[in-house]
Amino acid sequence: MSIVKPSTLPGFMELLPEDQILFNEMKNVIRENFEKHGFLPIDTPVIEKSEVLLAKGGGETEKQIYRFEKGSTDMSLRFDLTVPLARYTVEHFNDLSFPFKRYQIGKVYRGEKAQKGRFREFYQCDIDTIGNGDLSLVNDAEFPVVIYHTFKDLGFTDFTIHLNNRKILKGFFVSLGIEDSTDALRAVDKLDKIGEDAVIEELVETGISVDAAKKIIEFIKIDGSVDEILDSLNNLGVEDDIFKTGLSDITEVIGYIRDFGIDENCFDINLKIARGLDYYTGTVYETTLDNYPDIGSVCSGGRYDNLASNYTDMILPGVGISIGLSRLFYQLNEVKIIESEKKSLIDLLILPMDECISEGIKLVSELRENKVRVGLYTEFAKLKKKFKYANQTKVEYVIVLGEDEIKNRFYSLKNMKTGEQIDISFDELVEKFER
């Protein structure tokens, strides 16, 4: 029989246990913050009907989707968590309470070119609030608050949540005579990646005059504090109604964010933020780490007027934000912002003498019933090998279990880091390690 060389497909992340523990810890912090802010969990299938995922039309999505048939069923792997949310909301509409606040953490699949830090299978952590008919701007303000607390709990101090409103951009474009702003918004969103000259060139290619393109660049470079930018926008004298609505909306959202009481240094208004996706209609967000600008946005999202229009005639506006956890983890590891360390998930390891395996099993079972995280070395081996295993797995405390310990219910507890040993009773053992 020939031996198959084991390997993973390009674009699929696989971690060693110490990295996986750190990854899981980050995921748990995110989940706990989502739940703390009242978002409810859902879990949609990884595989959806192709007609559901592609209801909006083909384009780039159809090129990247993993699509296949089983029997007569045409199905695809989900490429994000937003389209399944739209389907889920409509399908379960009568069983949901609105505003519907949901979170989902799960893998998505995109058949794009695999490259460093870009994956074909990756975790997204999404929160969205969906309204029935309308949805207040208080919800737009809550998302930066959730992200603020999440990144603080992840251990970050220097980060900025950038806000903008696409109505401000669209209204300004209209004031320049640009009625269809779709291509212009996509070009503006690339400013930090490709630079001013390239954006101007792209704008001109869409039919915008050089003069108007330069005015757009000048507009999106308006800078300063939140209040200074709001004053600058108010003083521009733009009379377009869409612009005025966007300015009013972002002013209201900023007011609510301040009511939530988060650090003013952690959010700003950035007129360059446009978000390239067509379905965003109002508030948009991106989050960056101040000391690592090259990483780009680590969290993004925004408001959409009618996410579910392909599945229902009902108006279901929403606002959401997403953390690409796999990419974030990879990038943070690459620049050593986070570093994995080998550690044990148990507090205590029982090393029974070979003739005491059965009693070791009983002791471990009893400790676990008392909520102690404890493991058992199960192999018949010399004591030196058992201690070597304890060192390799980085467990902090061990107990060597022999006949005297079994008889007296008194144990010698060794700290593997310091070498210190103490004698301890069963009840004291439970008290020390009970969780």
Short mmCIF file of all heavy atoms in Angstrom, two decimals, residues 316-375:
data_model
loop_
_atom_site.label_atom_id
_atom_site.label_comp_id
_atom_site.label_asym_id
_atom_site.label_seq_id
_atom_site.Cartn_x
_atom_site.Cartn_y
_atom_site.Cartn_z
N LEU A 316 -36.69 45.39 5.95
CA LEU A 316 -35.95 44.91 7.12
C LEU A 316 -34.58 45.59 7.16
O LEU A 316 -33.57 45.00 6.77
CB LEU A 316 -35.79 43.39 7.06
CG LEU A 316 -37.08 42.55 7.03
CD1 LEU A 316 -36.76 41.08 6.83
CD2 LEU A 316 -37.87 42.74 8.32
N PRO A 317 -34.53 46.83 7.64
CA PRO A 317 -33.23 47.51 7.73
C PRO A 317 -32.37 46.92 8.82
O PRO A 317 -32.88 46.31 9.77
CB PRO A 317 -33.64 48.96 8.08
CG PRO A 317 -34.92 48.80 8.84
CD PRO A 317 -35.62 47.63 8.21
N GLY A 318 -31.07 47.08 8.69
CA GLY A 318 -30.18 46.53 9.70
C GLY A 318 -28.87 47.27 9.78
O GLY A 318 -28.56 48.13 8.95
N VAL A 319 -28.11 46.92 10.80
CA VAL A 319 -26.76 47.46 10.95
C VAL A 319 -25.92 46.34 11.57
O VAL A 319 -26.40 45.58 12.40
CB VAL A 319 -26.74 48.74 11.82
CG1 VAL A 319 -27.32 48.49 13.19
CG2 VAL A 319 -25.34 49.32 11.92
N GLY A 320 -24.68 46.20 11.08
CA GLY A 320 -23.86 45.09 11.57
C GLY A 320 -22.38 45.38 11.45
O GLY A 320 -21.96 46.34 10.79
N ILE A 321 -21.62 44.52 12.08
CA ILE A 321 -20.17 44.66 12.05
C ILE A 321 -19.55 43.27 12.14
O ILE A 321 -20.16 42.35 12.70
CB ILE A 321 -19.69 45.57 13.20
CG1 ILE A 321 -18.38 46.28 12.85
CG2 ILE A 321 -19.60 44.84 14.51
CD1 ILE A 321 -18.11 47.50 13.70
N SER A 322 -18.37 43.10 11.55
CA SER A 322 -17.76 41.77 11.46
C SER A 322 -16.27 41.84 11.80
O SER A 322 -15.57 42.75 11.36
CB SER A 322 -17.95 41.21 10.05
OG SER A 322 -17.32 39.95 9.92
N ILE A 323 -15.82 40.85 12.56
CA ILE A 323 -14.39 40.67 12.84
C ILE A 323 -13.95 39.42 12.08
O ILE A 323 -14.48 38.33 12.30
CB ILE A 323 -14.13 40.48 14.34
CG1 ILE A 323 -14.64 41.68 15.14
CG2 ILE A 323 -12.63 40.27 14.60
CD1 ILE A 323 -14.58 41.48 16.66
N GLY A 324 -12.99 39.57 11.18
CA GLY A 324 -12.41 38.42 10.49
C GLY A 324 -11.36 37.79 11.38
O GLY A 324 -10.19 38.17 11.33
N LEU A 325 -11.77 36.82 12.20
CA LEU A 325 -10.91 36.34 13.28
C LEU A 325 -9.67 35.61 12.76
O LEU A 325 -8.57 35.79 13.30
CB LEU A 325 -11.71 35.44 14.22
CG LEU A 325 -10.95 34.86 15.42
CD1 LEU A 325 -10.30 35.96 16.25
CD2 LEU A 325 -11.87 34.02 16.29
N SER A 326 -9.81 34.79 11.74
CA SER A 326 -8.66 34.03 11.24
C SER A 326 -7.57 34.97 10.73
O SER A 326 -6.39 34.83 11.06
CB SER A 326 -9.08 33.07 10.13
OG SER A 326 -10.03 32.14 10.60
N ARG A 327 -7.98 35.95 9.94
CA ARG A 327 -7.02 36.90 9.39
C ARG A 327 -6.42 37.76 10.50
O ARG A 327 -5.21 38.01 10.52
CB ARG A 327 -7.70 37.78 8.34
CG ARG A 327 -6.77 38.78 7.67
CD ARG A 327 -7.42 39.41 6.45
NE ARG A 327 -6.55 40.41 5.85
CZ ARG A 327 -6.63 41.72 6.07
NH1 ARG A 327 -7.57 42.19 6.87
NH2 ARG A 327 -5.81 42.57 5.51
N LEU A 328 -7.25 38.21 11.44
CA LEU A 328 -6.77 39.01 12.55
C LEU A 328 -5.75 38.23 13.37
O LEU A 328 -4.66 38.75 13.70
CB LEU A 328 -7.94 39.44 13.44
CG LEU A 328 -7.59 40.19 14.72
CD1 LEU A 328 -6.89 41.51 14.41
CD2 LEU A 328 -8.83 40.42 15.57
N PHE A 329 -6.07 36.98 13.70
CA PHE A 329 -5.15 36.15 14.49
C PHE A 329 -3.82 35.98 13.77
O PHE A 329 -2.75 36.13 14.36
CB PHE A 329 -5.79 34.79 14.76
CG PHE A 329 -4.91 33.85 15.53
CD1 PHE A 329 -4.88 33.90 16.91
CD2 PHE A 329 -4.11 32.91 14.88
CE1 PHE A 329 -4.07 33.02 17.64
CE2 PHE A 329 -3.30 32.05 15.58
CZ PHE A 329 -3.28 32.10 16.97
N TYR A 330 -3.89 35.68 12.48
CA TYR A 330 -2.67 35.48 11.70
C TYR A 330 -1.80 36.73 11.70
O TYR A 330 -0.59 36.68 11.93
CB TYR A 330 -3.03 35.08 10.27
CG TYR A 330 -1.83 34.95 9.36
CD1 TYR A 330 -1.12 33.77 9.30
CD2 TYR A 330 -1.41 36.03 8.59
CE1 TYR A 330 0.00 33.65 8.48
CE2 TYR A 330 -0.30 35.92 7.76
CZ TYR A 330 0.40 34.74 7.71
OH TYR A 330 1.51 34.63 6.90
N GLN A 331 -2.42 37.88 11.44
CA GLN A 331 -1.65 39.12 11.34
C GLN A 331 -1.05 39.53 12.68
O GLN A 331 0.10 39.97 12.75
CB GLN A 331 -2.55 40.24 10.80
CG GLN A 331 -2.93 40.05 9.34
CD GLN A 331 -3.87 41.13 8.87
OE1 GLN A 331 -4.86 41.45 9.53
NE2 GLN A 331 -3.59 41.71 7.72
N LEU A 332 -1.82 39.38 13.75
CA LEU A 332 -1.31 39.73 15.08
C LEU A 332 -0.15 38.83 15.47
O LEU A 332 0.81 39.27 16.10
CB LEU A 332 -2.43 39.63 16.12
CG LEU A 332 -3.61 40.58 15.95
CD1 LEU A 332 -4.62 40.37 17.07
CD2 LEU A 332 -3.16 42.04 15.91
N ASN A 333 -0.23 37.57 15.09
CA ASN A 333 0.86 36.64 15.36
C ASN A 333 2.10 36.98 14.54
O ASN A 333 3.24 36.90 15.03
CB ASN A 333 0.41 35.21 15.02
CG ASN A 333 0.60 34.26 16.19
OD1 ASN A 333 1.39 34.52 17.08
ND2 ASN A 333 -0.13 33.15 16.17
N GLU A 334 1.89 37.38 13.29
CA GLU A 334 3.00 37.71 12.40
C GLU A 334 3.84 38.87 12.94
O GLU A 334 5.06 38.87 12.85
CB GLU A 334 2.47 38.07 11.01
CG GLU A 334 2.12 36.87 10.15
CD GLU A 334 3.36 36.14 9.65
OE1 GLU A 334 4.08 36.68 8.80
OE2 GLU A 334 3.60 35.01 10.14
N VAL A 335 3.18 39.90 13.47
CA VAL A 335 3.90 41.07 13.96
C VAL A 335 4.17 41.00 15.46
O VAL A 335 4.58 41.97 16.08
CB VAL A 335 3.14 42.38 13.62
CG1 VAL A 335 3.06 42.58 12.13
CG2 VAL A 335 1.75 42.41 14.24
N LYS A 336 3.91 39.82 16.05
CA LYS A 336 4.23 39.54 17.46
C LYS A 336 3.45 40.41 18.44
O LYS A 336 3.91 40.67 19.55
CB LYS A 336 5.74 39.70 17.72
CG LYS A 336 6.64 38.89 16.80
CD LYS A 336 6.38 37.41 16.92
CE LYS A 336 7.32 36.62 16.01
NZ LYS A 336 7.00 35.17 15.99
N ILE A 337 2.26 40.87 18.02
CA ILE A 337 1.40 41.57 18.97
C ILE A 337 0.86 40.56 19.98
O ILE A 337 0.69 40.85 21.17
CB ILE A 337 0.24 42.28 18.26
CG1 ILE A 337 0.77 43.31 17.26
CG2 ILE A 337 -0.69 42.96 19.26
CD1 ILE A 337 -0.30 44.00 16.45
N ILE A 338 0.55 39.40 19.49
CA ILE A 338 0.18 38.29 20.38
C ILE A 338 1.17 37.15 20.13
O ILE A 338 1.66 36.98 19.02
CB ILE A 338 -1.26 37.80 20.14
CG1 ILE A 338 -1.43 37.31 18.68
CG2 ILE A 338 -2.27 38.88 20.48
CD1 ILE A 338 -2.73 36.61 18.43
N GLU A 339 1.46 36.40 21.16
CA GLU A 339 2.35 35.26 21.01
C GLU A 339 1.80 34.09 21.80
O GLU A 339 1.41 34.23 22.96
CB GLU A 339 3.77 35.60 21.47
CG GLU A 339 4.48 36.60 20.56
CD GLU A 339 5.95 36.74 20.90
OE1 GLU A 339 6.70 35.77 20.70
OE2 GLU A 339 6.34 37.83 21.38
N SER A 340 1.76 32.95 21.15
CA SER A 340 1.27 31.75 21.81
C SER A 340 2.33 31.20 22.75
O SER A 340 3.52 31.37 22.53
CB SER A 340 0.91 30.69 20.77
OG SER A 340 0.04 31.20 19.80
N GLU A 341 1.88 30.56 23.80
CA GLU A 341 2.80 29.85 24.69
C GLU A 341 2.20 28.51 25.02
O GLU A 341 0.98 28.37 25.13
CB GLU A 341 3.05 30.65 25.96
CG GLU A 341 1.81 30.94 26.78
CD GLU A 341 2.13 31.59 28.11
OE1 GLU A 341 3.04 31.10 28.80
OE2 GLU A 341 1.47 32.58 28.44
N LYS A 342 3.07 27.52 25.12
CA LYS A 342 2.57 26.20 25.44
C LYS A 342 2.08 26.18 26.87
O LYS A 342 2.80 26.58 27.78
CB LYS A 342 3.68 25.16 25.24
CG LYS A 342 3.18 23.75 25.09
CD LYS A 342 4.27 22.84 24.52
CE LYS A 342 3.69 21.48 24.19
NZ LYS A 342 4.69 20.60 23.58
N LYS A 343 0.83 25.79 27.06
CA LYS A 343 0.30 25.73 28.41
C LYS A 343 -0.75 24.64 28.49
O LYS A 343 -1.28 24.18 27.47
CB LYS A 343 -0.29 27.08 28.83
CG LYS A 343 -1.44 27.57 27.98
CD LYS A 343 -1.90 28.93 28.50
CE LYS A 343 -3.04 29.48 27.67
NZ LYS A 343 -3.50 30.78 28.15
N SER A 344 -1.04 24.24 29.70
CA SER A 344 -2.01 23.17 29.91
C SER A 344 -3.37 23.76 30.23
O SER A 344 -3.48 24.84 30.81
CB SER A 344 -1.56 22.28 31.07
OG SER A 344 -2.52 21.29 31.33
N LEU A 345 -4.41 23.04 29.84
CA LEU A 345 -5.77 23.46 30.18
C LEU A 345 -6.26 22.82 31.47
O LEU A 345 -7.36 23.11 31.93
CB LEU A 345 -6.73 23.12 29.03
CG LEU A 345 -6.47 23.88 27.72
CD1 LEU A 345 -7.46 23.45 26.65
CD2 LEU A 345 -6.57 25.38 27.94
N ILE A 346 -5.44 21.95 32.05
CA ILE A 346 -5.77 21.38 33.36
C ILE A 346 -4.85 22.01 34.40
O ILE A 346 -3.78 22.51 34.09
CB ILE A 346 -5.62 19.85 33.38
CG1 ILE A 346 -4.21 19.43 32.97
CG2 ILE A 346 -6.68 19.20 32.50
CD1 ILE A 346 -3.94 17.94 33.12
N ASP A 347 -5.29 22.00 35.65
CA ASP A 347 -4.50 22.58 36.75
C ASP A 347 -3.61 21.55 37.43
O ASP A 347 -2.62 21.90 38.07
CB ASP A 347 -5.44 23.19 37.80
CG ASP A 347 -6.30 24.29 37.23
OD1 ASP A 347 -5.77 25.14 36.50
OD2 ASP A 347 -7.53 24.29 37.51
N LEU A 348 -3.98 20.29 37.28
CA LEU A 348 -3.36 19.24 38.09
C LEU A 348 -3.27 17.96 37.27
O LEU A 348 -4.21 17.62 36.53
CB LEU A 348 -4.20 19.02 39.35
CG LEU A 348 -3.85 17.86 40.28
CD1 LEU A 348 -2.49 18.06 40.91
CD2 LEU A 348 -4.93 17.72 41.35
N LEU A 349 -2.16 17.24 37.39
CA LEU A 349 -1.99 15.96 36.72
C LEU A 349 -1.65 14.89 37.75
O LEU A 349 -0.73 15.07 38.56
CB LEU A 349 -0.87 16.05 35.67
CG LEU A 349 -0.56 14.77 34.89
CD1 LEU A 349 -1.73 14.37 34.00
CD2 LEU A 349 0.71 14.95 34.05
N ILE A 350 -2.39 13.81 37.72
CA ILE A 350 -2.12 12.69 38.62
C ILE A 350 -1.19 11.71 37.91
O ILE A 350 -1.48 11.26 36.79
CB ILE A 350 -3.42 11.97 39.03
CG1 ILE A 350 -4.44 12.97 39.62
CG2 ILE A 350 -3.12 10.83 40.01
CD1 ILE A 350 -3.96 13.67 40.87
N LEU A 351 -0.07 11.38 38.57
CA LEU A 351 0.90 10.43 38.03
C LEU A 351 0.87 9.18 38.91
O LEU A 351 1.57 9.09 39.92
CB LEU A 351 2.31 11.02 38.04
CG LEU A 351 2.52 12.38 37.36
CD1 LEU A 351 3.97 12.84 37.52
CD2 LEU A 351 2.16 12.29 35.87
N PRO A 352 0.03 8.20 38.57
CA PRO A 352 -0.08 7.01 39.43
C PRO A 352 1.08 6.05 39.20
O PRO A 352 1.58 5.91 38.07
CB PRO A 352 -1.40 6.38 38.99
CG PRO A 352 -1.57 6.81 37.58
CD PRO A 352 -0.90 8.15 37.44
N MET A 353 1.54 5.44 40.26
CA MET A 353 2.48 4.34 40.10
C MET A 353 1.75 3.25 39.31
O MET A 353 0.53 3.15 39.33
CB MET A 353 2.93 3.81 41.46
CG MET A 353 3.56 4.90 42.35
SD MET A 353 5.01 5.71 41.60
CE MET A 353 6.23 4.40 41.74
N ASP A 354 2.53 2.41 38.60
CA ASP A 354 1.91 1.46 37.67
C ASP A 354 0.84 0.58 38.32
O ASP A 354 -0.17 0.26 37.69
CB ASP A 354 2.98 0.57 37.04
CG ASP A 354 3.85 1.36 36.04
OD1 ASP A 354 3.50 2.53 35.77
OD2 ASP A 354 4.85 0.79 35.55
N GLU A 355 1.08 0.20 39.58
CA GLU A 355 0.13 -0.68 40.25
C GLU A 355 -1.09 0.07 40.81
O GLU A 355 -2.01 -0.53 41.38
CB GLU A 355 0.83 -1.44 41.39
CG GLU A 355 1.30 -0.59 42.56
CD GLU A 355 2.66 0.05 42.34
OE1 GLU A 355 3.17 0.01 41.18
OE2 GLU A 355 3.23 0.59 43.31
N CYS A 356 -1.09 1.42 40.62
CA CYS A 356 -2.17 2.24 41.21
C CYS A 356 -3.04 2.92 40.16
O CYS A 356 -3.75 3.91 40.46
CB CYS A 356 -1.56 3.30 42.13
SG CYS A 356 -0.59 2.63 43.49
N ILE A 357 -3.03 2.41 38.93
CA ILE A 357 -3.81 3.04 37.86
C ILE A 357 -5.30 3.11 38.21
O ILE A 357 -5.94 4.15 38.06
CB ILE A 357 -3.62 2.27 36.53
CG1 ILE A 357 -2.22 2.50 35.96
CG2 ILE A 357 -4.67 2.70 35.51
CD1 ILE A 357 -2.01 3.85 35.33
N SER A 358 -5.85 2.00 38.70
CA SER A 358 -7.29 1.98 39.01
C SER A 358 -7.65 3.01 40.07
O SER A 358 -8.67 3.72 39.97
CB SER A 358 -7.71 0.58 39.48
OG SER A 358 -7.64 -0.33 38.41
N GLU A 359 -6.81 3.13 41.10
CA GLU A 359 -7.06 4.12 42.14
C GLU A 359 -6.88 5.53 41.59
O GLU A 359 -7.55 6.47 42.02
CB GLU A 359 -6.11 3.89 43.33
CG GLU A 359 -6.37 2.60 44.09
CD GLU A 359 -7.78 2.53 44.65
OE1 GLU A 359 -8.31 3.59 45.05
OE2 GLU A 359 -8.35 1.42 44.68
N GLY A 360 -5.96 5.69 40.63
CA GLY A 360 -5.79 6.99 39.99
C GLY A 360 -7.03 7.40 39.23
O GLY A 360 -7.45 8.57 39.27
N ILE A 361 -7.64 6.45 38.54
CA ILE A 361 -8.89 6.72 37.83
C ILE A 361 -9.97 7.18 38.80
O ILE A 361 -10.69 8.15 38.55
CB ILE A 361 -9.35 5.47 37.05
CG1 ILE A 361 -8.37 5.15 35.92
CG2 ILE A 361 -10.76 5.67 36.49
CD1 ILE A 361 -8.62 3.83 35.24
N LYS A 362 -10.08 6.48 39.93
CA LYS A 362 -11.10 6.84 40.93
C LYS A 362 -10.85 8.24 41.49
O LYS A 362 -11.78 9.03 41.69
CB LYS A 362 -11.11 5.81 42.05
CG LYS A 362 -11.58 4.43 41.61
CD LYS A 362 -11.43 3.41 42.74
CE LYS A 362 -11.78 2.01 42.24
NZ LYS A 362 -11.56 1.00 43.32
N LEU A 363 -9.56 8.56 41.77
CA LEU A 363 -9.24 9.88 42.33
C LEU A 363 -9.56 10.99 41.33
O LEU A 363 -10.15 12.00 41.69
CB LEU A 363 -7.75 9.93 42.71
CG LEU A 363 -7.23 11.28 43.22
CD1 LEU A 363 -7.99 11.72 44.47
CD2 LEU A 363 -5.73 11.20 43.49
N VAL A 364 -9.18 10.79 40.09
CA VAL A 364 -9.46 11.79 39.05
C VAL A 364 -10.97 12.00 38.91
O VAL A 364 -11.44 13.14 38.82
CB VAL A 364 -8.83 11.35 37.70
CG1 VAL A 364 -9.42 12.16 36.54
CG2 VAL A 364 -7.33 11.53 37.74
N SER A 365 -11.73 10.90 38.91
CA SER A 365 -13.18 11.01 38.78
C SER A 365 -13.79 11.79 39.93
O SER A 365 -14.67 12.64 39.75
CB SER A 365 -13.81 9.61 38.70
OG SER A 365 -13.33 8.91 37.57
N GLU A 366 -13.29 11.53 41.13
CA GLU A 366 -13.80 12.22 42.32
C GLU A 366 -13.46 13.71 42.28
O GLU A 366 -14.29 14.57 42.63
CB GLU A 366 -13.22 11.56 43.58
CG GLU A 366 -13.93 11.96 44.86
CD GLU A 366 -13.42 11.19 46.07
OE1 GLU A 366 -12.54 10.31 45.92
OE2 GLU A 366 -13.90 11.50 47.18
N LEU A 367 -12.24 14.03 41.84
CA LEU A 367 -11.85 15.44 41.74
C LEU A 367 -12.67 16.18 40.68
O LEU A 367 -13.09 17.33 40.87
CB LEU A 367 -10.36 15.54 41.42
CG LEU A 367 -9.39 15.21 42.57
CD1 LEU A 367 -7.97 15.05 42.05
CD2 LEU A 367 -9.45 16.28 43.65
N ARG A 368 -12.91 15.50 39.56
CA ARG A 368 -13.71 16.14 38.50
C ARG A 368 -15.14 16.39 38.95
O ARG A 368 -15.75 17.39 38.57
CB ARG A 368 -13.69 15.26 37.25
CG ARG A 368 -12.35 15.32 36.51
CD ARG A 368 -12.28 14.31 35.38
NE ARG A 368 -10.98 14.37 34.69
CZ ARG A 368 -10.54 13.44 33.85
NH1 ARG A 368 -11.28 12.35 33.62
NH2 ARG A 368 -9.36 13.57 33.26
N GLU A 369 -15.68 15.49 39.77
CA GLU A 369 -17.02 15.71 40.31
C GLU A 369 -17.06 16.94 41.20
O GLU A 369 -18.12 17.56 41.38
CB GLU A 369 -17.46 14.48 41.10
CG GLU A 369 -17.84 13.29 40.23
CD GLU A 369 -18.19 12.06 41.05
OE1 GLU A 369 -18.20 12.17 42.29
OE2 GLU A 369 -18.43 11.00 40.44
N ASN A 370 -15.89 17.30 41.74
CA ASN A 370 -15.78 18.50 42.58
C ASN A 370 -15.25 19.71 41.79
O ASN A 370 -14.72 20.66 42.37
CB ASN A 370 -14.86 18.22 43.77
CG ASN A 370 -15.54 17.39 44.85
OD1 ASN A 370 -16.26 17.92 45.69
ND2 ASN A 370 -15.34 16.08 44.80
N LYS A 371 -15.42 19.64 40.44
CA LYS A 371 -15.10 20.78 39.56
C LYS A 371 -13.61 21.14 39.52
O LYS A 371 -13.24 22.31 39.43
CB LYS A 371 -15.94 22.01 39.94
CG LYS A 371 -17.44 21.81 39.78
CD LYS A 371 -18.20 23.07 40.11
CE LYS A 371 -19.66 22.98 39.76
NZ LYS A 371 -20.35 21.77 40.20
N VAL A 372 -12.77 20.14 39.66
CA VAL A 372 -11.33 20.34 39.52
C VAL A 372 -10.92 19.92 38.11
O VAL A 372 -11.31 18.84 37.64
CB VAL A 372 -10.54 19.52 40.56
CG1 VAL A 372 -9.04 19.67 40.34
CG2 VAL A 372 -10.92 19.96 41.97
N ARG A 373 -10.15 20.76 37.44
CA ARG A 373 -9.62 20.40 36.12
C ARG A 373 -8.36 19.56 36.33
O ARG A 373 -7.30 20.08 36.65
CB ARG A 373 -9.30 21.66 35.32
CG ARG A 373 -10.52 22.40 34.81
CD ARG A 373 -10.12 23.45 33.82
NE ARG A 373 -11.27 24.14 33.26
CZ ARG A 373 -11.20 25.06 32.31
NH1 ARG A 373 -10.01 25.42 31.83
NH2 ARG A 373 -12.28 25.64 31.84
N VAL A 374 -8.50 18.28 36.11
CA VAL A 374 -7.42 17.36 36.45
C VAL A 374 -7.27 16.32 35.34
O VAL A 374 -8.24 15.92 34.70
CB VAL A 374 -7.70 16.68 37.82
CG1 VAL A 374 -9.02 15.95 37.82
CG2 VAL A 374 -6.56 15.76 38.22
N GLY A 375 -6.02 15.91 35.09
CA GLY A 375 -5.75 14.88 34.12
C GLY A 375 -5.07 13.68 34.78
O GLY A 375 -4.64 13.74 35.93
#
